[in-house]
Each structure stands twice: as C-alpha cells, then as structure tokens.
Amino acid sequence: MERGLRQTWAFMFRGYHLTRRYLSWVVVFNFYALTGAAAVALIGVAAHDHQLTLTLVVGALLWNFLSVLYNEIAMSIAYERWEGTLEYTFMAPVSRLVHLLGISLFALCNSIVNTTVVLGGLMLFTPLSLTGANLPGVLVVILASTLAFVGLGVMAAALPVLSPERGAEGTHIFQGSLLLVSGVYYPVDVLPTWVQPLSALSPATYTLSACRKLVGIGNPATTAERLAAAPLSAVTGELVVLVAMGFVLIPLGLWVFGRVESWAKRTGRLKRTG
Amino acid sequence: MTLPAIQVCNLRKQFHRRRKRRRTDAPEAWALAGVSFEVARGDTYGLLGPNGSGKSTLIRILSTLLVADGGDVRLLGHRLPEEQARVRWLIGRVSVDAAFYKKLSTRENLLYTALLYGLDPASAERKAMHVLEQLGMEQRTFSAPLEEMSRGMQQKISIARALMINPPLLLLDEPTTGLDPKSRRDVQAFLEDLRRREGTTILLTTHDMAEAERLCARIGFLAHGRLVAEGTAEGLRRQASAATLDDAFIGLTEETAAAGDTPTGAPTDR
Ligand SMILES: Nc1ncnc2c1ncn2[C@@H]1O[C@H](COP(=O)(O)OP(=O)(O)O)[C@@H](O)[C@H]1O
Ligand SMILES: [Mg+2]
C-alpha cells in the first residue's frame, strides 16, 4: 500500500520538477490557451449575443480542461522516449495501473491549473457573469468526463510505444478529430450528416451538452444578468453515458496499453532509437 | 549446491525490420543465435564482442525489456519472462547511454527512481550519495541539471541509481565506454569492491580487454549472436594461442565470422 502510494507519487514528483524546469514553456502554453479562448469568446461579444458568448466560453473552458488532460496523458510516454528514460520506467517493478494512475493524476493537476488560468482570462476579456449557473452540477459532469478522458488518454499513450514519431502524430490527429466532432463551439447538428454518428461516440459531446444545460444555454429565461440553469437531474442521461464510457474506456485503455507493451517487448520497439 | 545467479540456455532473438511499401517483414540475422552460459553467485562475468554482436540484446532480455524468441533464462532461479515482476526487484541495470531527465538535477533523478521502486526516499538517497562518494563525486554538484554533467559523472550517477535498490544482480552494458581513464578506474575499483563486500553478481559487457581481465572471473566472446569462446582470460589466451587477450579476441571472433553471416541459418547451441 505504502509502496503503491510512493510509486504513484513518483510520477507526480517527476511531473512537478519537470514543470518547474520548463516553467517558461508552461507559462507560454497557458498564455496561448488564454488568448485563444478569449479570442473565440469575443466573437460572441462582438455579435452582442449573450447566449453565443456563453456557448463559446463554456466550450473554450471545457475543451481546455479535457484536451490538456488527454494530451498530458497521451504524450507522457512520448516525452519519456525523447528523454530516453522509457526503458528504465518499464523495467521498474511498478504496475502499469499505478504508472498510468500517477500520470493521470499529474495530468489532472495540469488541466485544473490551465483551466483556472483560462477562466481568469475570460473574466478579464468578456463581461462574464456566472450568477445562477449550476456550478456544483458542472463539477459533477467534469468529474464524470475525467474518467472517460483518462481512458482515451491511456489508449493514446500506447501509440508512442508503437512508434516514437508516428505515435505522437497519431495522438494529435485523434485530439483534433475529437475537437471537431464533439461540437465544442457549436451544436453537433450543424456537422455534415455523415460526421454526426461520430459525435455520439465522443465523450466530450455529452460533457458539452450537459454543461450547456447546467449554465442555462438554450433556456429562453436566461438573461445577461442571471442564468436560468437546469438542475442536475436534467442531465442524468449525459451523466449515465459519461460514467459508462469511463467504465469501458479505462479498462480498455489499460488493456490496449498492455498489449502494445508486450508487442513492443517482442519486437524491440522499446529501444531508445527506434 | 547453490543455484547459479544467471542461467541462460539456448537463447535466441531475431528482429524483423519493417520494410516500406508494405512488403513483408524481412527477418534479419539472428541477434542471438542460441546463447548458453551460466554465472555463479557472486561472480563477475564479462561479455565481449564486436559492435552488433548481440551484447545489448542479451542484457535487455535479462532486464525484462525484451522477450526472447526461444530458449530459457533464469535469474536467481526465476524464469523470464514469466516471473518478470519478481525479477525486477533483483536487478539493477546501467546502459551505455546514461538515460536521465536531463533538465532535472541528480538529486531529483535519484529521488524519482527511489519513489518509482517504492523505497523510503531518505534512506535511498543516503545510499545513492554513499555510492557517489565512493565513486569520487562531490556533493555540491547534485542540485544542478544533469545535462551540465560530464559523461563520466552521468555514468557514475547511473551506477548509483542502479545500486539504490541493493540489487543482488547487476547488469552493466558498457558502463565505462567513453569515460576518461580516471573515471574508468574509479568505476572498476568500485565494482571490485562491491563484489567483494556485497557478493553482487555482475554481468558486464565491455570493449576494454584490460577491464575484463581485471574484473571478470570468466569471459565470454560473442560474435554474430553466438558465444564463440568462454573461459578465464588465461584459458582464452591459451585456446587462441595468443599472447594477449586482444589477440585472442580478434582471433576467436573472426574465425566464426563467416558462419555467422548466413542470416537465416538455424541457430545452434553455442
Ligand atoms: N530494438 C532493435 N530492433 C531491431 N534490431 C535490433 C534492435 N536491437 C538490436 N538490434 C540488432 O541486433 C543486433 C545486435 O545488436 P546489439 O545487441 O545492440 O549489439 P551490441 O550491443 O553487441 O553492439 C544488431 O544487428 C542490431 O542492429
Ligand atoms: Mg550494445
């Protein structure tokens, strides 16, 4: 037990100190996320459309949270390949579950920080008021979505084990596709009909749909001063889907990762150069 | 009679290079074409061979990083790959490239490993610092990023990392390659001392004949994935009727070069 905790902490410890050493890059990355989100939200402000502004703000915040979470997990193995430490991590007596749990916890910290920064920026740049929003409800939805995104991230993390270069490319392609099909800034029914079935497969679609209801987007009673938020019971459907996706995707992610790892050990792909 | 620390029997490994344009996988020559040897507990065994002869492949298999195509491996009685979870507690590895987080300091790198093995960070750090001291490194450089260290220093830190878990079995892949003579001597003296004090079993690959002669009770010559000769330094010299171990190495590894060149030839034992 104590050993497991220490091992989980190892990945947090490593992540923290790497963040410290690469702090300027972290600042740049957060700055870029902030300006990107503000630029999008200002489209709604320019259109004098409060509902649109709110949609864009919610989309930007959620996408930041989920994409940082996914990306940090998915790229963790790629970073280790670049550093050349992957073999040492893989020969340590640490179970893959603990390994990926540690990475996921660190990723979660990262996305909380990033989302807080973006939220602060949006407060500065848009006349945003969250009065009336069902914030506890939003937190519940985010928590449920975290499970599913950890599963996706773990699955994607296996790609750089397969191939250092192609793998990292693959994780980004997948992230881009999620952004497109999940309707981050628009309702998914504006997507071409052949894409729409895909959006049903993305957990982010449900996160967004639920959170919009919980801040009162689409509710005619919502005004600039006061949001007419739905109660948590109004998003039970989305929550059930998200939790179910988490329960499928996390074991699936671990299974895929395990398969890829043993394949890599048979073919020699763990080696630093190739 | 006690069990040998390392038992390797008819070990085979072949890599497949994936060709572009979806041609079928092309099998390469056997990286290990049926290697067998044993190392007694507390012994140091030297594995010598030209570049590409399969030394690192063998060490990777023993380190649970690579799964062999055939043959049998037992480390301290535990079979690989079946008992790899058990074996991981028993081995420390030093590779030719010091693999660290280059932006992190020595201390941070070592603490990360300590935590990764679930060790108590304070006592693990003390242990590592003690090893570094014995290797002749000074304390005040340990909070600087590791990338600022010389190769020799990095290699010493790599040894300290491997020893943090007190492994009964140490796998060293060219630990002194690229080190200056002083660092090399520090490392060699340390390994001799370690073997004497702790009874650690050491498997060592090297290109340095003098090092092999100094450290290793037994030496194996590897060429094209085959163990072509094995014995004490003295025995190998006699076998090749050579004056030096260098000459014996060249004589014995070149003799079999032609045989090893047939890529798909069935691997044989030894
Ligand atoms: N991961 C790998 N993928 C493909 N081929 C490999 C891999 N590792 C080693 N090889 C090949 O196996 C042979 C033996 O390599 P290696 O064990 O690194 O030799 P050594 O350490 O003795 O120089 C070489 O031909 C090398 O190209
Ligand atoms: Mg090598």
Side-chain angles (χ1 to χ4, degrees):
Chain A
M1 181 64 197
E2 190 181 0
R3 181 191 295 164
L5 283 178
R6 279 197 186 127
Q7 291 179 324
T8 311
W9 175 245
F11 297 97
M12 310 271 286
F13 175 88
R14 176 190 78 183
Y16 168 72
H17 286 287
L18 283 173
T19 306
R20 225 161 47 80
R21 302 281 173 164
Y22 288 103
L23 195 60
S24 54
W25 272 113
V26 176
V27 170
V28 169
F29 180 76
N30 277 283
F31 173 79
Y32 195 78
L34 187 162
T35 53
V40 169
L42 287 169
I43 297 172
V45 177
H48 301 292
D49 183 338
H50 182 251
Q51 292 260 349
L52 176 60
T53 309
L54 209 52
T55 307
L56 297 175
V57 164
V58 168
L61 283 171
L62 288 178
W63 182 247
N64 262 294
F65 181 82
L66 296 176
S67 65
V68 170
L69 180 66
Y70 163 87
N71 198 54
E72 193 64 41
I73 300 172
M75 293 303 288
S76 58
I77 300 295
Y79 297 150
E80 288 217 56
R81 285 210 90 124
W82 292 328
E83 290 273 22
T85 55
L86 190 61
E87 285 194 328
Y88 283 87
T89 304
F90 273 27
M91 69 175 278
V94 47
S95 77
R96 224 35 84 215
L97 181 68
V98 167
H99 177 188
L100 296 166
L101 177 72
I103 285 172
S104 303
L105 283 175
F106 179 72
L108 188 61
C109 296
N110 251 348
S111 41
I112 289 172
V113 170
N114 177 277
T115 309
T116 311
V117 168
V118 172
L119 179 64
L122 289 176
M123 296 268 199
L124 281 178
F125 283 94
T126 58
L128 187 69
S129 157
L130 292 174
T131 318
N134 185 352
L135 292 180
V138 170
L139 280 181
V140 170
V141 171
I142 288 178
L143 213 61
S145 319
T146 298
L147 296 177
F149 267 75
V150 165
L152 287 178
V154 167
M155 221 177 293
L159 293 175
V161 179
L162 290 176
S163 153
E165 197 85 341
R166 292 275 168 277
E169 288 166 11
T171 62
H172 283 100
I173 293 285
F174 187 70
Q175 187 179 340
S177 314
L178 277 181
L179 170 64
L180 187 71
V181 305
S182 307
V184 173
Y185 300 115
Y186 41 80
V188 288
D189 53 24
V190 303
L191 287 167
T193 32
W194 62 271
V195 182
Q196 288 186 24
L198 292 178
S199 63
L201 293 176
S202 163
T205 306
Y206 304 93
T207 315
L208 284 150
S209 150
C211 288
R212 282 177 191 147
K213 289 180 194 167
L214 293 170
V215 299
I217 295 171
N219 188 336
T222 289
T223 63
E225 289 73 39
R226 186 161 188 88
L227 309 174
L232 195 58
S233 57
V235 298
T236 313
E238 284 93 341
L239 275 176
V240 168
V241 174
L242 283 170
V243 171
M245 280 183 160
F247 270 90
V248 173
L249 287 172
I250 288 183
L252 187 65
L254 285 169
W255 181 79
V256 168
F257 198 97
R259 294 308 301 257
V260 167
E261 183 180 343
S262 64
W263 179 84
K265 281 184 186 165
R266 267 181 284 114
T267 54
R269 294 303 158 96
L270 279 189
K271 202 176 156 182
R272 176 172 201 174
T273 50
Chain B
M1 214 196 97
T2 53
L3 223 56
I6 303 177
Q7 295 166 284
V8 171
C9 183
N10 196 20
L11 190 65
R12 278 159 291 144
K13 183 72 200 173
Q14 184 177 34
F15 294 103
H16 296 255
R17 177 150 299 158
R18 269 213 296 210
R19 292 279 156 82
K20 297 217 163 95
R21 296 190 220 300
R22 294 215 193 89
R23 288 234 309 272
T24 46
D25 283 5
E28 306 240 310
W30 290 88
L32 293 173
V35 171
S36 308
F37 67 99
E38 287 188 352
V39 183
R41 281 183 201 232
D43 259 7
T44 300
Y45 188 96
L47 209 50
L48 275 61
N51 290 321
S53 55
K55 304 181 297 294
S56 298
T57 301
L58 178 63
I59 296 249
R60 281 203 171 82
I61 292 173
L62 302 194
S63 314
T64 76
L65 292 169
L66 205 58
V67 176
D69 295 337
D72 223 44
V73 178
R74 277 169 200 272
L75 299 183
L76 297 160
H78 302 286
R79 261 184 76 116
L80 281 181
E82 291 81 2
E83 297 180 69
Q84 60 173 17
R86 189 81 196 78
V87 166
R88 283 176 181 160
W89 288 105
L90 306 173
I91 51 171
R93 167 173 174 256
V94 175
S95 51
V96 62
D97 56 318
F100 286 108
Y101 295 94
K102 291 166 206 66
K103 294 276 178 201
L104 299 191
S105 69
T106 304
R107 240 189 117 239
E108 287 156 0
N109 269 290
L110 291 173
L111 281 175
Y112 165 65
T113 300
L115 290 168
L116 198 58
Y117 279 79
L119 306 174
D120 170 47
S123 60
E125 188 183 1
R126 238 177 289 125
K127 163 100 190 153
M129 291 304 156
H130 182 62
V131 171
L132 287 174
E133 218 169 274
Q134 285 179 297
L135 283 166
M137 268 185 76
E138 287 178 46
Q139 184 98 30
R140 62 189 149 80
T141 45
F142 296 155
S143 50
L146 226 130
E147 62 186 353
E148 291 171 11
M149 305 250 168
S150 69
R151 196 181 129 59
M153 286 172 164
Q154 293 193 13
Q155 206 60 356
K156 288 175 180 178
I157 298 164
S158 183
I159 292 170
R161 169 173 65 182
L163 288 175
M164 235 169 8
I165 59 166
N166 280 321
L169 193 56
L170 204 51
L171 306 171
L172 307 175
D173 196 356
E174 301 188 25
T176 57
T177 297
L179 298 195
D180 62 69
K182 167 79 170 74
S183 302
R184 188 179 303 193
R185 195 170 299 168
D186 288 343
V187 170
Q188 291 168 353
F190 177 80
L191 292 176
E192 269 183 327
D193 190 47
L194 180 76
R195 196 190 65 79
R196 203 171 320 117
R197 254 181 319 115
E198 311 268 343
T200 307
T201 309
I202 301 174
L203 179 65
L204 169 92
T205 80
T206 182
H207 289 299
D208 182 340
M209 299 296 150
E211 174 171 295
E213 224 175 322
R214 171 172 178 187
L215 295 177
C216 305
R218 292 176 69 76
I219 294 170
F221 286 163
L222 201 63
H224 300 276
R226 288 183 170 81
L227 205 54
V228 295
E230 200 192 7
T232 59
E234 181 50 40
L236 288 166
R237 271 195 298 266
R238 212 171 325 117
Q239 190 182 334
S241 343
T244 65
L245 196 58
D246 261 309
D247 291 338
F249 175 75
I250 292 166
L252 290 167
T253 53
E254 278 190 347
E255 216 167 81
T256 47
D261 276 339
T262 45
T264 45
T268 51
D269 198 357
R270 262 183 230 199

